[in-house]
Amino acid sequence: MGGFLKRKAVILYRPGPRPEISRRKFVAVTLSFAAVGAGCGSNLLGGAGGGGQTPVPGTETPQGGLPPIVELPPAELSWVSDARVAGFETYSEDPDVDARLDVLAAAHVSVVVIDSDLSFYMTGARFEESVVYIEAVAKKCHQRGMKAVAYYPMLEALTRSARDRRRTMWKDHPDWVQRGIDGRPNKFVGGGRVFWVPRGTESAWLCPTSGYRDYFISRVKRLAQTSLDGLWGDVPLLSDIVGVWPCTNASCAAKFRAETGLAQPTRVDWNNPVFRRWVAWRHGVIHEFEQAVLAGARTVRPDFQLIVETGTVDYSNATVEGLDGASRDAGDVLRVWEVSAASDATGMREAPADDWISMAIMMRHGRGCAGKNPGWAICYGKETDDAERVMAICIAGGVRPYESQVPLLNNTVGDAWRGKMYGWLKDNNDIWAGESANAVAVVFSSASRDYVDRNAGVGLYTSINPADEDWSASTLSDSAKTLPYLGEYRGICKALIHAHAPYDVVTTPHLKPARLAPYPLVVAPRPAALSKGEIASLKSYVEAGGTLLVTGGTDAGVFDENGALRAKPALLEAFGIKAGANWVRTTYGRGAVVLVTQQVGQTYYQTTEAATTTQLVRILEAGGHTIVTDAPPAVVIDLRQRTEHRLDVLFANIHGLDTGGFKGQSASFKVAIPCGGKMPRRVTVTQPGDAAPAEIPFTHENGRAVFDVTVGALLLARIALT
């Protein structure tokens, strides 16, 4: 055994005009509420409480600010932390609602997303009817031991047969509709542009700074008066389906001037500091809207949750659409990440290896954005074998799964298979209680992505597939490998995965010395834009003894968080470092900085050049923090410390997907896990479908527990320590 230890081992919107846009959402159009959106003389706003209701006393939002959000103790978040989520489409007088809920309960679903008709612009009376029905379904969920949240688009409203109706959202409230930088209103009538908007149906995207904000919050308050446990808020983004770089309507222009003293830009110009400031400001507008919605709901129900579907993850759509879970600390707002599949038709079955790696990176990114909160992710599968690997990298990435069959959120790959996976999660749900025991943190900077990549391509995945019209990208310019910031960031993450060096993502809003302190190594890929506070945090981390690796150029900190250009790269200046030879270690305080001026991450993303993993492992070896294994590179590992006497190790296997076409296979290998100075006394393993955990033989060598495993898609090893 001694010799072994020597071996190392969407929403999819593209920039610019395009005729077709794909979204992984289904909104039924055969509604039982015939008068949805009709209105004819009735109050479409539904009164201050929504649906014509009188507000609950004391719940009115104060003018000129937000009510404080009521923070909940950790126990109140347990159902969110242990979530096993499924969608449930239902409408009034659904004859099968009880039987279908029984199926979900039998499959160990713990949270039901009730998808009814809240996507539609409706009268106050019709909204009230819908609320009453949704509450009835929520109560049925509770009777079966499941929580219930209601699906509600946050900034989109649909009206059926719009041309024949006197009242639509656009006709009633043109001042509420987003406008692009070109002045065009962000509304259209369906007819092939996107599949979730049927022919003849108006889609209007609303501005979060307009009067729509109070309208929406009032309706959320009404939902908070029900038995619902929370709201699933769908993609509150500045949509570029029609408008280019929204929103520039009057309320946004006034707010931007009031907060910055500047006039809104009138064209896209990345060399203009006002435009860069506006890009950063737009992220804040969406964040503020999310906070206001939760604050309003919490004035009614302190335990009400807001789970925001966030489809932009780490890539360039977040730049143009404003919605970005990494740009601000979300506070008590929770997120479910729509990690889109490579294809709406085949999911990930035809995806090459780097697309699978990209999905694994996005899953882990979701955990990093969450801060103290639990996060969820949509797991799109086509068949059970590819779906199991998607869910495996979701769980190993640290986010809770919402199982779905591509492209429809309310479908399943199979009830029996869902029951197998969710039953295993239910039996092992304490994996979510463990703190990360990973040795590396990777810093993600939304501002750096914005100002370096400049929305030049989507960056969702790496490949194109001309034979599949539902593929996520049609040109190589949309490949994440071509983007200098995203390519560098994802390339570093890919190299760490291949080196079997488990890592966590730390987004810049959480970049504090205490957050970084547990990590022997912090990597900052191409950190071109950093605030003074973020630079100070990195400096404090190094002074206290940490090792900071900066990659991707000599422009580290050349922008501040709002896009203002500095005279010199402030991060390098803070450490007194000049560009020189790559991978040179410079001592600073009790720690050190290693600078690599080349785009080594992007190079690794493109070529899998072994020198990068060799250098990363060399840095980690100095502190004895390496996992030693002969596992294939595409085995994702995550370490979680449940208690001081137990270490959980999760293995997600995406090996065998190197050439495209689904060829998933088991992986058998030996692994040596650092035990943090403690003695291993027992190792047990379990995989989905196992009747019970099995104890396996192990040895203790050089401070590591050494054992053999065979991983199908997902395996949990538990190491008992003394």
Side-chain angles (χ1 to χ4, degrees):
M1 299 300 292
F4 166 74
L5 288 175
K6 296 177 183 177
R7 298 196 295 269
K8 310 298 180 192
V10 163
I11 308 164
L12 177 61
Y13 302 145
R14 297 186 180 91
R18 56 268 183 205
E20 293 285 338
I21 299 167
S22 174
R23 178 180 177 185
R24 293 143 181 87
K25 186 75 70 216
F26 177 71
V27 179
V29 294
T30 53
L31 303 179
S32 37
F33 299 137
V36 169
C40 296
S42 58
N43 176 16
L44 282 161
L45 298 188
Q53 300 299 300
T54 302
V56 174
T59 66
E60 297 83 357
T61 302
Q63 293 295 318
L66 300 178
I69 294 176
V70 179
E71 294 190 4
L72 300 178
E76 299 296 334
L77 284 170
S78 61
W79 68 270
V80 178
S81 181
D82 299 342
R84 302 175 299 277
V85 191
F88 188 76
E89 186 180 350
T90 183
Y91 300 94
S92 180
E93 300 177 1
D94 182 344
D96 301 319
V97 61
D98 286 290
R100 293 195 296 126
L101 286 175
D102 287 342
V103 171
L104 296 186
H108 307 290
V109 170
S110 67
V111 180
V112 177
V113 182
I114 302 172
D115 186 357
S116 191
D117 63 343
L118 295 181
S119 300
F120 286 82
Y121 185 48
M122 62 181 77
T123 67
R126 293 303 185 191
F127 175 75
E128 181 62 23
E129 288 183 31
S130 184
V131 170
V132 170
Y133 177 68
I134 290 169
E135 176 167 29
V137 177
K139 289 179 177 178
K140 291 177 181 290
C141 293
H142 293 162
Q143 290 166 3
R144 292 162 173 81
M146 300 183 292
K147 299 291 185 179
V149 298
Y151 168 85
Y152 197 174
M154 293 181 73
L155 289 178
E156 184 190 27
L158 304 177
T159 308
R160 291 191 306 151
S161 304
R163 290 190 174 94
D164 299 328
R165 295 195 184 278
R166 184 169 61 88
R167 306 191 67 174
T168 70
M169 181 63 84
W170 163 247
K171 292 173 184 176
D172 284 355
H173 301 287
D175 57 321
W176 290 4
V177 174
Q178 298 172 11
R179 288 187 178 269
I181 204 168
D182 57 358
R184 287 194 299 169
N186 210 353
K187 57 90 181 179
F188 64 94
V189 175
R193 184 180 292 267
V194 292
F195 80 80
W196 77 89
V197 181
R199 183 173 297 279
T201 295
E202 177 189 280
S203 169
W205 285 86
L206 291 314
C207 172
T209 71
S210 70
Y212 172 79
R213 168 176 160 147
D214 290 339
Y215 160 84
F216 184 77
I217 291 174
S218 72
R219 293 205 162 183
V220 172
K221 286 181 177 181
R222 174 66 187 100
L223 289 164
Q225 295 175 31
T226 70
S227 300
L228 285 165
D229 299 285
L231 183 78
W232 174 293
D234 189 28
V235 291
L237 51 81
L238 303 172
S239 168
D240 61 340
I241 295 177
V242 176
V244 178
W245 281 91
C247 178
T248 63
N249 70 6
S251 59
C252 276
K255 183 176 175 63
F256 183 66
R257 183 177 290 277
E259 294 178 356
T260 68
L262 302 169
Q264 276 188 339
T266 57
R267 63 188 181 91
V268 176
D269 181 3
W270 286 102
N271 294 318
N272 181 354
V274 175
F275 179 78
R276 295 195 299 266
R277 178 68 185 88
W278 183 66
V279 170
W281 177 83
R282 293 163 80 249
H283 292 313
V285 165
I286 299 299
H287 172 265
E288 182 183 307
F289 177 64
E290 294 172 342
Q291 297 296 315
V293 172
L294 179 60
R298 289 269 173 95
T299 61
V300 179
R301 277 261 307 283
D303 63 341
F304 199 77
Q305 301 293 342
L306 173 62
I307 305 104
V308 174
E309 183 179 340
T310 306
T312 46
V313 199
D314 60 352
Y315 52 96
S316 291
N317 280 9
T319 301
V320 69
E321 293 166 6
L323 175 61
D324 187 355
S327 71
R328 303 289 192 279
D329 185 340
D332 282 356
V333 171
L334 307 173
R335 294 200 184 278
V336 55
W337 299 91
E338 186 178 21
V339 182
S340 301
S343 168
D344 277 346
T346 60
M348 298 296 289
R349 296 193 70 79
E350 300 298 324
D354 279 340
D355 283 354
W356 279 94
I357 285 287
S358 297
M359 176 178 270
I361 292 167
M362 284 189 279
M363 293 290 187
R364 192 166 297 253
H365 181 89
R367 178 171 73 179
C369 293
K372 64 182 176 62
N373 296 329
W376 302 352
I378 299 168
C379 294
Y380 286 115
K382 180 63 176 178
E383 299 178 27
T384 57
D385 50 2
D386 61 279
E388 192 152 342
R389 279 164 171 76
V390 171
M391 193 176 291
I393 55 178
C394 168
I395 294 168
V399 281
R400 288 71 171 165
Y402 177 138
E403 189 272 318
S404 179
Q405 186 178 48
V406 69
L408 309 181
L409 272 179
N410 299 315
N411 281 7
T412 178
V413 170
D415 293 314
W417 174 81
R418 177 190 273 172
K420 180 188 83 168
M421 298 300 292
Y422 278 5
W424 183 85
L425 265 181
K426 182 180 180 181
D427 291 340
N428 296 282
N429 66 3
D430 58 347
I431 60 172
W432 306 121
E435 296 291 332
S436 170
N438 298 330
V440 184
V442 179
V443 175
F444 180 85
S445 163
S446 290
S448 298
R449 179 209 53 223
D450 290 346
Y451 306 139
V452 172
D453 289 351
R454 299 186 170 193
N455 195 43
V458 172
L460 173 57
Y461 285 112
T462 65
S463 67
I464 60 173
N465 185 350
D468 185 350
E469 64 180 9
D470 294 310
W471 204 255
S472 59
S474 57
T475 65
L476 283 176
S477 63
D478 282 331
S479 170
K481 292 182 179 181
T482 68
L483 300 173
Y485 178 80
L486 190 63
E488 184 68 14
Y489 164 72
R490 287 209 190 159
I492 289 295
C493 295
K494 174 186 173 181
L496 289 167
I497 290 171
H498 281 184
H500 301 113
Y503 71 93
D504 295 322
V505 174
V506 178
T507 59
T508 49
H510 302 118
L511 201 61
K512 309 295 182 189
R515 178 73 177 87
L516 299 177
Y519 299 101
L521 174 63
V522 171
V523 187
R526 193 69 190 269
L530 295 169
S531 70
K532 289 181 180 179
E534 292 156 4
I535 292 171
S537 292
L538 291 171
K539 189 175 179 180
S540 295
Y541 163 77
V542 175
E543 287 175 332
T547 298
L548 174 65
L549 171 61
V550 180
T551 74
T554 59
D555 59 354
V558 75
F559 293 105
D560 73 8
E561 70 277 21
N562 291 316
L565 187 63
R566 295 177 171 126
K568 295 180 179 180
L571 181 63
L572 300 187
E573 288 288 308
F575 291 109
I577 295 176
K578 304 295 182 183
N582 290 311
W583 300 102
V584 173
R585 183 184 183 93
T586 301
T587 300
Y588 190 89
R590 291 160 48 200
V593 180
V594 179
L595 175 64
V596 184
T597 60
Q598 299 169 326
Q599 295 270 133
V600 289
Q602 187 174 25
T603 299
Y604 192 85
Y605 204 19
Q606 296 170 345
T607 65
T608 315
E609 186 179 75
T612 303
T613 54
T614 300
Q615 293 284 5
L616 290 169
V617 170
R618 184 173 296 162
I619 294 172
L620 286 167
E621 277 181 330
H625 301 291
T626 52
I627 293 173
V628 184
T629 181
D630 57 0
V635 172
V636 181
I637 303 176
D638 194 57
L639 303 180
R640 302 178 192 176
Q641 191 84 43
R642 177 67 179 91
T643 70
E644 63 176 323
H645 298 298
R646 195 183 87 198
L647 182 65
D648 288 347
V649 190
L650 280 158
F651 301 91
N653 173 26
I654 48 176
H655 171 59
L657 306 173
D658 299 312
T659 59
F662 192 78
K663 302 182 181 73
Q665 55 191 262
S666 295
S668 298
F669 51 89
K670 190 179 300 294
V671 64
I673 303 294
C675 294
K678 294 187 179 296
M679 179 77 68
R681 59 183 178 85
R682 185 174 65 253
V683 178
T684 60
V685 297
T686 177
Q687 304 190 60
D690 287 350
E695 189 167 343
I696 62 171
F698 70 94
T699 59
H700 184 215
E701 300 181 40
N702 297 331
R704 295 174 172 90
V706 183
F707 50 91
D708 296 288
V709 290
T710 296
V711 183
L714 177 67
L715 181 139
L716 169 63
R718 285 185 161 153
I719 305 172
L721 304 168
T722 56

